[in-house]
Amino acid sequence: MITYEEREANALAADGRWPELLGHFRRARAAAVAAHGRPGGAAGPSGHLLAYGAPPQLAARLFDHDGGPGTAADETDHDAGPLWEVLATRHSWQRLAPLLEPAPVRRLVAHTRALLGENLAGRAEPDPEDVPLTLQPWEEAGWEEAARVRDYLPGGGARRALLALPATREGLGPLDLPTSGGRVPGLAATRLFAGLAPWLQAVCVRGTAPDAAAQLAPQRRAVAGHLPFGAVYPALVQAGSGLPGLGSAHGRLAVWRLLGAMTGAGRPAVAEVNALVARLRCLAWADPEDELWYLHVALEDPATGLAWAVSGTSEA
């Protein structure tokens, strides 16, 4: 059911009355904060309409504090997706950089622009975790630019590619997994793998990718196949950005964080991460229960003798 507030917001956007729509958003957000302590998606569609359609000079004011307490959007505000991500899909970093002040929003917008193919190296402030602001070749290899971030619609809503790994059974074949062995507990990388999405579980073993897969695959005789990490990376990013309030930049940062942990470093170093990615052996397997969103993959690092498996399905 379309509410009066939604009709009013849509009418203001259709007429290009962006300052009035900004006031509408600020009043709704402040009321939501006063009532619930946080906005979430409670400010309605006006934020999305502004972020998508308003000129950048006005759309960026969503995040300004000049409207008073509780009126400024932050990195948690969302409708069909985070407002900062909607904005980042509409304008280049060159146009947005002078307009955005909050550091968390600037960071997420910068990484979104990197995912969309913009090279920000030397053009934006360094990332606080040293994640590069330009995509590495293996980050580009597995997916098209148009699939890396939600495809937002002018009036609200978004389209997004399905999260499926392995995407098909083509190239897979029968594989007898070894008897499940002992796990290696307590590693940060394992926690970060499981933390990508609430529906995932992860384990680490000392051994090979099949040894790790045996921990989570439902049957000892699996339908499985090897693939390069570049084909695994998009699914990991999507898993880390699956909730409505999160965006692809969250997923990218989460994957770099876990790759850094796999190298044993406290923070991701580009050279070490690239070396890790080059030597990883990846094995994906199918589950008979797979439907729309699922992820089943094991990653083996022959340099350390450790292998991780991460698996789960989601109804989202």
Side-chain angles (χ1 to χ4, degrees), residues 90-295:
R90 304 296 293 161
H91 307 285
S92 69
W93 178 252
Q94 182 178 359
R95 298 195 73 182
L96 293 174
L99 305 172
L100 294 171
E101 293 185 5
V105 170
R106 288 181 63 85
R107 183 191 190 199
L108 293 166
V109 168
H111 282 283
T112 304
R113 293 305 310 170
L115 280 164
L116 292 172
E118 191 171 356
N119 186 342
L120 273 61
R123 299 171 52 208
E125 52 269 28
D127 184 80
E129 292 182 273
D130 296 332
V131 178
L133 288 170
T134 183
L135 296 186
Q136 304 302 294
W138 50 267
E139 292 186 270
E140 298 178 303
W143 52 353
E144 297 296 326
E145 182 179 300
R148 297 174 193 165
V149 179
R150 292 181 181 97
D151 178 18
Y152 290 102
L153 306 177
R159 291 185 289 257
R160 193 176 190 195
L162 291 176
L163 192 169
L165 186 73
T168 71
R169 294 198 172 202
E170 183 178 350
L172 305 183
L175 176 67
D176 291 323
L177 298 175
T179 302
S180 180
R183 302 183 181 187
V184 178
L187 296 184
T190 310
R191 293 193 298 273
L192 291 170
F193 267 118
L196 285 175
W199 45 271
L200 288 174
Q201 54 181 325
V203 298
C204 178
V205 303
R206 190 167 297 282
T208 66
D211 292 325
Q215 297 279 336
L216 299 180
Q219 301 171 344
R220 294 279 73 79
R221 188 168 178 80
V223 178
H226 292 276
L227 66 170
F229 182 77
V232 174
Y233 174 73
L236 296 178
V237 172
Q238 283 186 301
S241 58
L243 298 175
L246 300 180
S248 294
H250 283 291
R252 181 177 188 242
L253 290 168
V255 173
W256 271 88
R257 206 172 287 128
L258 73 85
L259 290 172
M262 289 174 71
T263 69
R267 56 199 301 129
V270 175
E272 292 185 17
V273 168
N274 285 342
L276 169 69
V277 166
R279 66 179 183 260
L280 280 177
R281 298 169 181 168
C282 305
L283 178 75
W285 71 90
D287 187 318
E289 303 299 319
D290 289 341
E291 293 186 3
L292 293 177
W293 280 52
Y294 55 87
L295 173 61

Side-chain angles (χ1 to χ4, degrees), residues 299-316:
L299 301 97
E300 171 190 341
D301 181 2
T304 63
L306 297 175
W308 286 264
V310 57
S311 179
T313 61
S314 172
E315 297 179 358

Side-chain angles (χ1 to χ4, degrees), residues 71-93:
T71 61
D74 60 27
E75 68 274 19
T76 67
D77 286 80
H78 64 274
D79 187 44
L83 298 187
W84 52 263
E85 185 173 73
V86 179
L87 182 63
T89 64
R90 304 296 293 161
H91 307 285
S92 69
W93 178 252

